[in-house]
Amino acid sequence: MSDNNRFLLKVITPERVFYDGEVSMVEFNTTEGEIGIYKNHIPTTVIVEPGILTITEEEGPKNAALHAGFAEILPDSVVILAEIVEWPSEIDLERAERAKERAEERISQKEDKTDMDRAHVALKKAICRINTLK
């Protein structure tokens, strides 16, 4: 690698290699909270929660919507295996807002037949998409 402070980031979904390149920092949400990673991070594996993925390249930061998965963090690389990752240009704002409204309605009704965990995950994903576009 050309720069001492840079490391390899790979973000992979079942459909594609979303990102493969050198970065100086990456930030995303985990089940334990938000994490920021620089080169030489202690090795660990974390579970990814829906939120904004911020990739800091030489040109500056890029944001994407990261929905779920897990990440392997090593001193010189990070690999994120994700269910879904979307660049802002791939997000349909109106669709995300409708999904948010549906999830909020399901949660507020609290019907016995409603899978509340699924409704909460749907709400998190919709909010993640909306926030990525802000």
Side-chain angles (χ1 to χ4, degrees), residues 48-106:
V48 174
E49 281 277 309
I52 296 174
L53 169 67
T54 302
I55 300 168
T56 304
E57 300 176 316
E58 191 172 336
E59 303 79 31
K62 290 182 175 179
N63 289 333
L66 175 60
H67 295 285
F70 67 93
E72 177 188 46
I73 302 164
L74 299 172
D76 61 353
S77 67
V78 173
V79 177
I80 300 173
L81 300 176
E83 175 188 313
I84 300 169
V85 188
E86 302 163 299
W87 294 115
S89 63
E90 299 170 326
I91 298 170
D92 180 336
L93 179 59
E94 289 180 14
R95 182 174 178 220
E97 288 173 341
R98 287 193 308 269
K100 180 179 178 270
E101 290 169 8
R102 283 192 308 274
E104 288 172 335
E105 186 175 320
R106 275 184 261 155

Side-chain angles (χ1 to χ4, degrees), residues 10-81:
K10 287 188 179 186
V11 182
I12 303 166
T13 73
E15 290 80 32
R16 64 182 169 162
V17 175
F18 178 81
Y19 187 91
D20 186 357
E22 290 185 345
V23 302
S24 57
M25 182 177 182
V26 63
E27 300 170 85
F28 56 90
N29 290 338
T30 74
T31 55
E32 302 298 315
E34 190 173 350
I35 187 170
I37 302 162
Y38 291 103
K39 186 174 181 176
N40 296 320
H41 194 284
I42 187 167
T44 189
T45 302
V46 295
I47 299 171
V48 174
E49 281 277 309
I52 296 174
L53 169 67
T54 302
I55 300 168
T56 304
E57 300 176 316
E58 191 172 336
E59 303 79 31
K62 290 182 175 179
N63 289 333
L66 175 60
H67 295 285
F70 67 93
E72 177 188 46
I73 302 164
L74 299 172
D76 61 353
S77 67
V78 173
V79 177
I80 300 173
L81 300 176

